């Protein structure tokens, strides 16, 4: 049985003082999620990690939005996995479409990061998803399959199900135009089948696959009741405790 997962992505939002305000107000959120057997958390800007983790502790998952694949070295402006580990961060979003679009992040680079995170016992949340153009051309599956194959290159059998996959059609992120439940299920199921072909049915049944793209309280339950959708990666609706709590209660009620 795969546990449901709601993971927030703050992107480049919240100064440390704003992040602290969220963290202080989020105590009940963690309790509510746990008592309903939902894993819940937020991935936040680097500068917010220390203050947020200090307050939230393990009540919610606190993750980073990126990392470098090398442990240390001449990579100005980057943050390494040992740095994250030392402050108690175990979850990292990898390959978000905004990083792929604006920072030239490739699936090959994501693969290096995934391998490095797994070596350190951490959880990569690997994002994949197509542009509107690719969607309109009817090429979503071949595009996403390539991203999955490249991202999982050399990932060992025993590690594969530790990766969380997030299917995020780019045309649905931050646009308010969410994919239908049917599209989300179709592609998440397709990703599971791809994992089965790379590993086996055991790994495919264990790996968690999230949908992301304008998930709101009104739509969350519909997505999470799909057989192959194990949760959501949430941008806008995770920025305020109230809206994030509403997302959770809309799912559990
Ligand atoms: C995201 O940031 O990954 C995302 C899905 O954002 P939003 O929920 O705002 O579309």
């Amino acid at each position: 049985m795969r546990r449901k997962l709601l993971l927030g992505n703050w992107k480049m939002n919240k100064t440390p003082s704003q992040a602290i305000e969220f963290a202080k107000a989020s105590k009940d959120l963690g309790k509510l999620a746990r008592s309903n057997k939902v894993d819940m958390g937020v991935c936040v800007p680097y500068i917010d990690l220390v203050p947020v983790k200090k307050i939230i502790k393990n009540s919610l998952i606190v993750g980073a939005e990126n990392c470098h694949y090398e442990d240390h070295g001449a990579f100005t402006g980057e943050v390494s996995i040992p740095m994250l580990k030392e402050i108690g961060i175990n979850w990292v979003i990898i390959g978000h479409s905004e990083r792929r679009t604006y920072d030239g992040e490739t699936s090959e680079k994501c693969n290096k990061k995934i391998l490095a995170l797994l070596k350190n016992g951490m959880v990569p949340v690997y994002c994949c998803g197509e542009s509107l153009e690719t969607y309109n051309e009817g090429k979503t599956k071949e595009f996403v399959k390539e991203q999955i194959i490249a991202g999982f290159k050399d990932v060992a059998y025993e590690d594969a199900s530790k990766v969380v996959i997030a299917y995020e059609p780019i045309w649905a992120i931050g646009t308010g135009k969410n994919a239908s439940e049917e599209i989300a299920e179709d592609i998440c199921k397709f990703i599971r089948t791809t994992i089965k072909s790379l590993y086996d049915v055991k790994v495919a049944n264990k790996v968690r696959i999230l949908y992301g793209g304008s998930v709101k309280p009104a739509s969350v339950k519909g997505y999470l009741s799909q057989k192959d959708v194990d949760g959501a990666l949430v941008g806008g609706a995770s920025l305020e405790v109230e809206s994030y709590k509403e997302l959770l209660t809309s799912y559990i009620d």
Side-chain angles (χ1 to χ4, degrees):
M1 184 68 180
R2 298 182 297 268
R3 227 172 126 101
K4 296 290 187 204
L5 169 61
L6 291 174
L7 199 59
N9 171 24
W10 283 0
K11 313 189 188 207
M12 196 175 71
N13 289 297
K14 292 197 189 290
T15 63
S17 62
Q18 293 167 334
I20 286 169
E21 211 177 296
F22 178 102
K24 283 183 178 162
S26 75
K27 286 211 169 110
D28 293 345
L29 193 55
K31 263 190 225 151
L32 187 62
R34 259 191 314 284
S35 62
N36 285 281
K37 297 188 170 62
V38 175
D39 291 336
M40 192 162 186
V42 280
C43 294
V44 309
Y46 288 138
I47 197 164
D48 298 332
L49 285 170
V50 170
V52 168
K53 182 72 184 170
K54 210 169 156 189
I55 297 165
I56 288 184
K57 298 192 174 73
N58 293 322
S59 171
L60 292 171
I61 295 161
V62 180
E65 298 175 13
N66 183 32
C67 67
H68 199 277
Y69 52 84
E70 292 290 353
D71 279 358
H72 55 85
F75 301 100
T76 303
E78 295 286 349
V79 169
S80 74
I81 292 169
M83 292 173 190
L84 295 173
K85 244 179 130 171
E86 190 172 309
I87 58 166
I89 302 301
N90 294 312
W91 291 60
V92 185
I93 295 176
I94 296 297
H96 190 279
S97 63
E98 286 149 16
R99 293 203 56 80
R100 291 180 188 260
T101 304
Y102 306 125
D103 296 279
E105 188 110 316
T106 61
S107 295
E108 289 66 34
K109 200 166 167 188
C110 292
N111 174 247
K112 289 185 183 181
K113 297 181 182 192
I114 290 170
L115 291 171
L117 285 164
L118 291 168
K119 198 173 93 190
N120 281 280
M122 291 163 70
V123 183
V125 180
Y126 180 49
C127 301
C128 60
E130 81 289 3
S131 65
L132 184 59
E133 195 186 352
T134 303
Y135 173 76
N136 285 337
E137 285 169 357
K139 291 186 176 159
T140 297
K141 288 186 180 170
E142 57 184 276
F143 185 84
V144 167
K145 187 174 181 177
E146 245 175 66
Q147 289 183 320
I148 295 295
I149 291 173
F152 277 78
K153 186 169 178 279
D154 298 331
V155 171
Y157 176 89
E158 60 276 14
D159 283 340
S161 63
K162 296 174 189 161
V163 180
V164 172
I165 301 168
Y167 167 59
E168 299 206 303
I170 298 170
W171 47 272
I173 300 177
T175 59
K177 271 192 258 161
N178 47 335
S180 67
E181 292 161 16
E182 291 74 23
I183 293 175
E185 169 60 14
D186 184 37
I187 305 302
C188 289
K189 185 178 177 179
F190 173 75
I191 292 171
R192 203 175 297 289
T193 308
T194 304
I195 293 295
K196 185 177 156 199
S197 70
L198 292 175
Y199 297 93
D200 65 11
V201 68
K202 239 172 129 175
V203 174
N205 285 340
K206 211 169 161 196
V207 74
R208 287 197 282 188
I209 306 173
L210 315 180
Y211 165 75
S214 300
V215 175
K216 302 284 180 242
S219 59
V220 67
K221 199 165 187 159
Y223 289 120
L224 270 60
S225 34
Q226 302 301 311
K227 191 168 162 280
D228 290 285
V229 180
D230 304 313
L233 187 56
V234 184
S238 74
L239 282 171
E240 302 304 329
V241 172
E242 274 317 305
S243 57
Y244 206 17
K245 189 174 175 184
E246 201 187 333
L247 202 81
L248 175 65
T249 50
S250 304
Y251 167 59
I252 58 183
D253 283 350

